[in-house]
Amino acid sequence: TLFGAAKMVQEGREPDDPFNPFSYPDANNADEVNSMVENFLPRQTRKEGTIPTQAEVEVFTINVLGTVGKDTFQQSGKPEPISGGFLVRGKMAPKLKDDGDKLIQMLDEKIDELIPQAWSEKYQVSYMTDPTPQMLMDDDMNGAPVLVVHSRDMSPSASTLLNTGVSAVSIFFTFVFAVSIFGQNDFVMQRLNDAQGQSNYDLTWFNQLVTPFLFAIGITQLSHEVA
């Protein structure tokens, strides 16, 4: 298990199985650190253009932790860049009695009070188990809790090409459905069959039947895509 591998590392031993997926990652190797972090943080936090910069994270650490840290979370080092954001090490104020929910509530209130609203609209702070290899070196096998500053935008990302393809297929099947409805109407089918026997038949009357239905579906689909 992960905890068993961690204990072996603390004792200076390596796991016997070199293919063990829980082998100890190298804390100095950014790729291995980020690979471990990505098991904790959802991929939505790593969307391009949404990850905070160090300067933006320091807006939080200086203005909030630097002001009320002794009553909330006492920072012990500089923010560390990780995949999807920044990690802030430290210790929760004793008076909170390890109540993570209370900590985040207090931090959110101070963020609203001490930082411009534009910051909180883009980023948020989470309190979680240390997602880096340092977790395996702590006496507590669950790792020391830390603060992580990451994007507030957690909406799922999807390929534009995929969205376009799905919309095109939906529109096609909607058209087939609309036409098939009239295919079950004996009167409509009789008129269509009679028209096929004429050299210059006019289907304007049929288009007038189908158009309102397609128009209604099209407006609904367009509204969905815009939203």
Side-chain angles (χ1 to χ4, degrees):
T1 65
L2 176 60
F3 297 142
K7 184 177 180 181
M8 295 176 69
V9 170
Q10 289 180 330
E11 295 174 351
R13 297 184 291 130
E14 292 291 337
D16 295 332
D17 183 1
F19 299 102
N20 186 348
F22 299 115
S23 60
Y24 182 60
D26 183 359
N28 296 316
N29 185 313
D31 290 336
E32 292 189 22
V33 172
N34 286 334
S35 177
M36 183 172 177
V37 169
E38 289 169 6
N39 289 324
F40 286 80
L41 298 178
R43 63 181 180 181
Q44 286 85 350
T45 61
R46 298 184 288 278
K47 288 193 294 186
E48 185 176 356
T50 65
I51 301 174
T53 64
Q54 182 164 348
E56 289 169 324
V57 174
E58 289 176 348
V59 169
F60 163 72
T61 58
I62 294 174
N63 291 282
V64 177
L65 297 184
T67 303
V68 296
K70 61 183 179 61
D71 298 319
T72 55
F73 189 87
Q74 299 172 348
Q75 181 181 355
S76 62
K78 294 182 179 180
E80 302 175 16
I82 59 174
S83 180
F86 279 78
L87 178 148
V88 180
R89 300 187 186 278
K91 188 175 182 180
M92 187 190 299
K95 70 177 185 179
L96 294 181
K97 300 179 180 180
D98 294 328
D99 188 341
D101 292 336
K102 181 64 175 177
L103 170 64
I104 292 300
Q105 179 185 346
M106 293 178 65
L107 289 177
D108 285 343
E109 291 174 354
K110 292 303 178 182
I111 288 173
D112 292 339
E113 177 183 336
L114 301 172
I115 299 180
Q117 184 178 355
W119 191 94
S120 59
E121 290 177 349
K122 294 174 61 179
Y123 309 117
Q124 68 182 49
V125 180
S126 296
Y127 180 68
M128 64 178 66
T129 297
D130 186 351
T132 71
Q134 181 63 37
M135 176 187 72
L136 304 178
M137 302 299 294
D138 291 330
D139 293 334
D140 182 354
M141 285 298 182
N142 291 320
V146 297
L147 295 180
V148 174
V149 183
H150 57 87
S151 170
R152 182 174 291 277
D153 180 8
M154 303 292 283
S155 60
S157 56
S159 166
T160 301
L161 181 61
L162 176 61
N163 287 338
T164 302
V166 170
S167 296
V169 171
S170 299
I171 292 173
F172 171 74
F173 281 110
T174 298
F175 175 77
V176 172
F177 174 71
V179 173
S180 66
I181 288 178
F182 295 103
Q184 300 176 12
N185 186 301
D186 293 337
F187 177 75
V188 172
M189 290 303 298
Q190 183 61 46
R191 289 195 61 181
L192 289 174
N193 290 330
D194 292 342
Q196 288 182 354
Q198 302 175 11
S199 58
N200 294 318
Y201 56 89
D202 183 9
L203 293 181
T204 302
W205 62 272
F206 181 72
N207 293 335
Q208 290 175 343
L209 291 176
V210 176
T211 300
F213 180 82
L214 294 178
F215 184 76
I217 295 296
I219 291 296
T220 302
Q221 184 68 27
L222 180 61
S223 301
H224 173 74
E225 295 298 325
V226 171

